[in-house]
Amino acid sequence: MLLRPTPRLSLLLHRRSLRTAAALLVLLLALMGLAACVGQTFVAPGEVWRTVRGQSTPYDLVVNELRVPRIVLGALVGAALGLAGALVQTVTRNPLASPDVIGVGHGAAAATVLALATGAVASPGAVPLVAVAGGLAAAGLVYVLAWRHGMQPSRFVLTGVGIGVALSAIVQLYLTDSELEAAEQVKLWLTGSLNGRGWEQAGPLAVVLLLSLPALVWAGRAARPLGLDPETAAALGVRVDRTRLGLTVLGVVLAACATGAAGPIGFVALTAPQLARRLTRTPQLPLVSSALTGAVVLVGADLAARTLVPPLEVPVGALTSLVGGPYLLWLLGRGGRSQL
């Protein structure tokens, strides 16, 4: 569908993508409403609506202080991971690639562990900043080491795997030699969880997503030629290496900020873009649908993690990894092995 808002501006929209994005948005809002109602204390939808609107109800603490901030954070983290996964998979042209593969999660974990071990973190509020810095540093190291007269996607992925293994070894050494209380704190963070998190983490992540909107608009246009082989894209006038660098930096920033907000939550960035692509049936990875799919997956997974084994709350990162493992095997069986 071609739209012309002005004589000099035209927009080409994929109708199935629009319908899919609208359906995903409705599903996301429905899941968020259900998550606000369901828990150890069931709150009727009417009471939730009155509480959110600011009316005085007995459920103000449960809804406004505990559930709503956690739900909003889950949607923001899922959207950021979905976008990051779509950008990284576009750059690498590999459906098995994700920010976790290129070392973002491992870098965030290693930086957090080193900060806790050396006492550099004076307060828990500084942990997300340390995690973001570690994720960005790890991705930057991978990019520098993978550069050989240009950036080859296969070398980039393999270098990220190697750096991730090395950083994971640092985390394991710390867990082996640290005291029990400190090790338990780090292990809980490493699983990825929304428990105990709220507006303090959601606010900065929302700002990052808003500031990234112009760059995401550019990314949506710049990613299309990268679906072709590098020689054809270069012949069309695309600066392939610069475009890849820009998309990678944007994806890494989003993934690092999401990891800093909720810890390393695995497989959301891997699965969301591919699910969105299958739903929209587009040749390129759809950014909007990838973000909405990531939000739906994470909000739904957190809802299941809170309600599966009451009164215990399973870390959402453990649940997404449990579901993501079989999905990875299915993706390999569907032909991802040849693309790897």
Side-chain angles (χ1 to χ4, degrees):
M1 181 170 58
L2 182 63
L3 300 179
R4 290 186 178 274
T6 64
R8 295 185 178 183
L9 178 63
S10 62
L11 300 175
L12 183 63
L13 302 177
H14 193 270
R15 294 189 179 186
R16 185 179 177 89
S17 296
L18 287 176
R19 292 195 295 265
T20 301
L24 287 171
L25 180 59
V26 172
L27 178 58
L28 175 61
L29 294 176
L31 276 175
M32 294 175 72
L34 180 63
C37 296
V38 177
Q40 294 187 23
T41 302
F42 178 79
V43 183
E47 294 293 335
V48 170
W49 177 245
R50 284 191 288 271
T51 304
V52 171
R53 291 180 59 188
Q55 298 180 12
S56 179
T57 67
Y59 305 104
D60 184 67
L61 175 63
V62 174
V63 175
N64 285 339
E65 300 296 330
L66 299 179
R67 293 182 184 174
V68 170
R70 176 172 177 163
I71 295 167
V72 172
L73 176 62
L76 292 175
V77 171
L81 291 177
L83 288 168
L87 293 170
V88 172
Q89 290 177 10
T90 298
V91 170
T92 59
R93 301 179 66 185
N94 191 332
L96 302 179
S98 70
D100 301 330
V101 172
I102 63 174
V104 175
H106 295 291
T112 301
V113 163
L114 291 176
L116 293 174
T118 58
V121 177
S123 64
V127 171
L129 298 177
V130 173
V132 170
L136 295 175
L141 178 62
V142 171
Y143 199 93
V144 170
L145 294 178
W147 182 272
R148 292 292 185 278
H149 305 290
M151 200 276 287
Q152 296 295 327
S154 58
R155 187 188 300 121
F156 183 59
V157 173
L158 292 176
T159 304
V161 171
I163 295 297
V165 171
L167 294 174
S168 179
I170 295 175
V171 176
Q172 295 301 322
L173 285 174
Y174 173 79
L175 293 177
T176 301
D177 297 335
S178 62
E179 297 181 358
L180 180 61
E181 182 178 354
E184 289 295 331
Q185 180 182 1
V186 172
K187 286 174 64 178
L188 179 62
W189 187 86
L190 290 175
T191 57
S193 176
L194 300 177
N195 188 24
R197 293 176 172 88
W199 296 124
E200 183 179 357
Q201 292 78 26
L205 183 56
V207 171
V208 171
L209 287 171
L210 288 175
L211 293 178
S212 301
L213 286 179
L216 289 171
V217 173
W218 165 82
R221 296 176 60 88
R224 293 178 182 176
L226 294 184
L228 306 171
D229 59 88
E231 292 77 12
T232 303
L236 293 174
V238 178
R239 297 183 177 181
V240 177
D241 288 332
R242 291 187 180 183
T243 303
R244 285 175 173 170
L245 177 60
L247 295 177
T248 302
V249 169
L250 180 57
V252 166
V253 168
L254 292 173
C257 292
T259 303
I265 298 177
F267 286 100
V268 175
L270 175 70
T271 58
Q274 295 303 316
L275 290 175
R277 185 174 187 175
R278 282 164 172 77
L279 290 172
T280 58
R281 299 178 185 175
T282 53
Q284 292 85 24
L285 291 172
L287 293 183
V288 175
S289 294
S290 295
L292 291 172
T293 303
V296 167
V297 168
L298 193 53
V299 171
D302 185 57
L303 174 61
R306 288 196 295 114
T307 57
L308 279 179
V309 284
L312 298 179
E313 290 191 6
V314 180
V316 67
L319 188 61
T320 57
S321 298
L322 181 64
V323 176
Y327 170 81
L328 180 60
L329 295 176
W330 175 81
L331 190 60
L332 284 169
R334 292 277 297 194
R337 178 169 43 208
S338 61
Q339 295 189 40
L340 178 63

